[in-house]
Amino acid sequence: MELKNKKWTHDHFYGVREEILKHWPTGADVNFEEAVKYHETIPAKKHFAKRLVKAKKNGETLTQPRAGVALLDEHINLLNFLRTEGEADLLPTTIDSYTRQNQYENCANAIEESMKAGRSLLNGFPAVNHGVHGVRKLVESVDGPLQVRHGTPDARLLTEITLAGGFTSYEGGGISYNIPYAKSVSLEKTIYDWQYNDRLVGIYAEHGIEINREPFGPLTGTLVPPCISHAVAIIEGILAAEQGVKNITLGYGQCGNLFQDVAAIKALEQLAEEYLVKHGYSDCILTTVFHQWMGGFPQDEAKAFAVISWGAAAAALAKATKVIVKTPHEALGIPTKEANAMGLRATKQLINMLADQPFPMTAEVDIEVEMIKAETRCILDKVFELGNGDFASGSVRAFEAGVLDVPFAPSQYSLNKILPARDNNGAVRLFDVGNLPFTQDIIDFHKAKIDARAKEEGRKASFQMVIDDIYAISKGRLVGRPN
Ligand SMILES: CC[C@H]1O[C@@H](n2cnc3c(N)ncnc32)[C@H](O)[C@@H]1O
């Protein structure tokens, strides 16, 4: 397999496809032409891409939960509950961990056991096992645009079945669903396999069916600096656009300092537009998604609501097109539908109260926007150079060299040399820049910010700061101050 950022021919795609559809019996029900006709019957109000474009035009920030359970009827009830009681604008289907590891046999057993137990024994919806017909019953029984959310390195069969079943949006990417989710899956393979998923979306687009694609922005969700998540997001956006994807949502996980979070969304919008146009994809429609805090949560539900509300406020003030909502059960595990709905209602309240309050783009925010763009450009341009003008092969080499590096990633393909820590105002900076290809002024900026905090705290900048920051929010703070 030679990895390059080049649109797959139909012959190449269909050559691979035959094998994929055999990975589980339900693959046999996938018929592309029939699926296109089915998509044409889906009412416009259920089209994810259309709803995002309308929100972008109207300056809305839409709410979307995560949710998924083992059995079809329960999953339908759950999503309708979140739509009515949670007022969710957009709906997910979170896929279970066995499916994410292509362990469909285990799913089959867990479905059986869940029926016997009368409760979900999976942490998500096993869409491959439910098949095209099960997915169609879901799509027809739920009132709202539906998106597949997961963390699957090899998602090719999952993509075929869920898209044929009528989903109109699909999350993930060859980097963002490998590095934070897998230990030893080759990056070359997952970037290649995700070209398949994007090419399938591109072929639906060639038949007039517009499906939204959303690379997974937050990555490990633990103190990921904006430049790191933006670099991966923009690369995955470019890789998707090359395969014919036209409607792309790029994402970012909240860091917690308001100026930095608002600046991060502005920088992402501006830089993504710039790079997509520069590389010839000016016909792509771009939207943004802000993920409420993805790190450790307080157990106390009142404090958890504060973290959720802070994420809602930042998303609204940043004017992100959509916000992914957390629940007061985050520290405990899979939320009840009631807790999930409460997180959504709290978020909606904040968004509605902030909708008429434009956030002042102060000098401090502008400096943050420029800094994030400068850092991200250093990384993107080095990736492009390492790939001799190719972002696909360039990304593989960039991870080998530490030019791309995701903090606290389980993958052996991420050097894990960089170390993030918060500055005195809680913005995420780099305590150790590792091998990131930053200019000296950027390196000096980060060092000065960290040193200022060390001075304030009367301690040397050290790895202890990183540890303190990882636990800070679950312990009720933002900056991990020494005891
Ligand atoms: C990316 C991790 C996030 O996804 C959430 N999550 C994972 N599976 C489910 C699920 N099945 N229902 C609701 N939330 C879920 C989890 O709580 C965490 O906030």
Side-chain angles (χ1 to χ4, degrees):
M1 150 193 74
E2 195 218 344
L3 183 65
K4 58 177 187 275
N5 182 29
K6 191 93 192 75
K7 190 180 212 173
W8 286 18
T9 62
H10 279 211
D11 285 353
H12 180 72
F13 174 80
Y14 285 107
V16 177
R17 184 166 192 255
E18 230 175 291
E19 165 57 29
I20 304 301
L21 295 181
K22 293 177 186 151
H23 285 182
W24 193 253
T26 50
D29 300 329
V30 176
N31 172 319
F32 181 76
E33 289 68 29
E34 186 272 338
V36 168
K37 285 193 177 45
Y38 180 77
H39 268 273
E40 288 164 354
T41 69
I42 297 175
K45 67 176 177 143
K46 290 190 180 183
H47 288 195
F48 216 92
K50 285 188 176 65
R51 187 62 188 92
L52 287 169
V53 167
K54 182 173 166 235
K56 179 178 181 177
K57 188 164 143 287
N58 300 343
E60 295 172 87
T61 296
L62 304 177
T63 60
Q64 182 181 13
R66 296 183 174 93
V69 288
L71 302 180
L72 179 57
D73 290 344
E74 283 69 8
H75 188 62
I76 290 168
N77 295 339
L78 169 61
L79 293 187
N80 282 325
F81 183 88
L82 296 175
R83 178 76 167 170
T84 53
E85 299 308 307
E87 304 169 24
D89 296 308
L90 300 168
L91 291 170
T93 285
T94 301
I95 302 297
D96 71 284
S97 297
Y98 283 140
T99 302
R100 298 180 188 195
Q101 302 302 318
N102 312 112
Q103 295 171 10
Y104 312 120
E105 193 69 46
N106 289 343
C107 289
N109 298 333
I111 290 169
E112 282 302 308
E113 293 305 309
S114 298
M115 283 197 269
K116 285 181 200 146
R119 63 188 178 85
S120 177
L121 298 179
L122 288 172
N123 62 352
F125 182 74
V128 170
N129 291 67
H130 286 302
V132 174
H133 304 299
V135 170
R136 290 204 175 156
K137 183 180 175 199
L138 165 61
V139 168
E140 289 158 16
S141 311
V142 167
D143 170 32
L146 272 169
Q147 176 184 47
V148 185
R149 301 188 72 85
H150 50 120
T152 312
D154 180 1
R156 294 172 294 176
L157 182 56
L158 177 65
T159 314
E160 287 280 2
I161 286 174
T162 51
L163 298 191
F167 275 91
T168 55
S169 177
Y170 198 79
E171 187 191 32
I175 301 170
S176 61
Y177 270 5
N178 177 337
I179 300 298
Y181 283 93
K183 286 193 180 62
S184 52
V185 179
S186 125
L187 202 51
E188 209 151 1
K189 178 161 181 2
T190 51
I191 292 176
Y192 181 82
D193 286 347
W194 273 85
Q195 287 180 320
Y196 179 100
N197 299 324
D198 284 328
R199 191 70 191 92
L200 178 58
V201 171
I203 294 173
Y204 270 104
E206 289 165 14
H207 289 75
I209 306 301
E210 190 168 54
I211 292 167
N212 165 256
R213 278 278 294 112
E214 174 187 331
F216 178 58
L219 302 175
T220 54
T222 309
L223 300 173
V224 178
C227 64
I228 299 293
S229 66
H230 287 13
V232 173
I234 291 170
I235 288 167
E236 291 194 344
I238 287 172
L239 298 182
E242 175 60 27
Q243 298 304 325
V245 174
K246 301 294 179 198
N247 189 286
I248 298 171
T249 303
L250 296 182
Y252 164 73
Q254 176 184 16
C255 283
N257 169 281
L258 182 60
F259 287 178
Q260 184 172 55
D261 287 335
V262 170
I265 292 292
K266 301 296 175 199
L268 181 57
E269 285 167 350
Q270 295 165 23
L271 215 54
E273 197 68 41
E274 178 188 314
Y275 272 79
L276 278 166
V277 168
K278 183 161 71 175
H279 290 277
Y281 311 113
S282 49
D283 58 347
C284 281
I285 297 175
L286 272 181
T287 46
T288 55
V289 53
F290 185 95
H291 293 250
Q292 291 178 357
W293 175 245
M294 294 290 283
F297 250 66
Q299 297 236 359
D300 174 90
E301 292 204 6
K303 292 181 178 178
F305 272 116
V307 177
I308 289 166
S309 299
W310 187 228
L317 293 171
K319 287 245 169 282
T321 321
K322 131 176 147 170
V323 58
I324 305 295
V325 177
K326 289 281 180 159
T327 83
H329 289 180
E330 179 58 24
L332 312 175
I334 303 292
T336 61
K337 65 180 188 303
E338 292 78 8
N340 211 338
M342 285 195 280
L344 281 159
R345 292 200 301 272
T347 297
K348 179 76 81 173
Q349 178 76 18
L350 258 290
I351 287 170
N352 291 343
M353 288 169 69
L354 288 169
D356 312 308
Q357 303 184 52
F359 185 75
M361 290 302 281
T362 61
E364 201 169 352
V365 178
D366 287 338
I367 289 168
E368 201 65 44
V369 171
E370 291 317 309
M371 183 50 71
I372 294 169
K373 284 166 69 173
E375 295 163 353
T376 311
R377 274 201 186 91
C378 286
I379 297 171
L380 287 172
D381 295 346
K382 192 69 180 171
V383 172
F384 194 62
E385 183 194 314
L386 288 171
N388 301 316
D390 186 301
F391 276 113
S393 56
S395 294
V396 176
R397 293 181 195 136
F399 271 100
E400 286 163 358
V403 164
L404 281 170
D405 192 345
V406 177
F408 315 112
S411 171
Q412 69 183 52
Y413 294 97
S414 183
L415 283 193
N416 275 304
K417 274 189 79 173
I418 66 170
L419 277 175
R422 293 187 186 278
D423 68 15
N424 218 28
N425 305 113
V428 173
R429 305 300 177 192
L430 282 154
F431 164 62
D432 186 335
V433 297
N435 297 349
L436 295 180
F438 285 163
T439 49
Q440 194 54 49
D441 60 323
I442 292 175
I443 293 171
D444 296 345
F445 173 85
H446 284 261
K447 185 170 181 338
K449 286 284 187 183
I450 297 284
D451 287 350
R453 171 187 171 183
K455 188 161 178 281
E456 176 73 19
E457 292 180 351
R459 64 171 166 170
K460 270 178 64 55
S462 72
F463 185 69
Q464 188 56 47
M465 275 182 179
V466 181
I467 303 285
D468 294 342
D469 288 344
I470 287 172
Y471 292 101
I473 289 183
S474 55
K475 289 182 175 173
R477 307 186 63 102
L478 178 67
V479 184
R481 301 296 185 191
N483 303 321

